[in-house]
Amino acid sequence: MRKNVITINFDEREFECHYSPEMGGSMCAVAIYEVVRPKWKIFRTTYRAYKTFWVMDYETIRRGIISMVRLWLEQEEFERKCAEAWRACL
């Protein structure tokens, strides 16, 4: 049986993306997990986000999944900058 998991690397960070069809196959749901302890057998990943996208908006499902990981990384960076600004204010 084939597992619907894609591994993606960005900036020395590894992500496992579990994907599945939604709404009759017109959407793709992606659960993003970051590999934080690669040598462990259990608890090796940490859940980061759940994203969905329309399949027809991308050339391939893989490109859509990569785009969802990039989107999450942008959101993470924005949240980090906001937290930094608040720390500097206090």
Side-chain angles (χ1 to χ4, degrees), residues 10-67:
F10 278 116
D11 299 328
E12 299 180 13
R13 293 171 74 180
E14 183 178 353
F15 298 94
E16 286 183 0
C17 299
H18 300 253
Y19 62 96
S20 63
E22 295 287 330
M23 296 191 54
S26 59
M27 290 187 83
C28 180
V30 183
I32 302 169
Y33 294 87
E34 184 173 3
V35 178
V36 291
R37 293 173 288 276
K39 296 186 190 261
W40 290 24
K41 291 192 183 218
I42 59 172
F43 306 119
R44 65 185 290 276
T45 61
T46 299
Y47 174 79
R48 294 299 182 199
Y50 181 84
K51 302 282 185 193
T52 58
F53 64 92
W54 294 105
V55 172
M56 298 309 294
D57 289 347
Y58 298 94
E59 289 180 25
T60 64
I61 301 289
R62 182 175 183 81
R63 286 188 187 211
I65 293 170
I66 290 169
S67 179

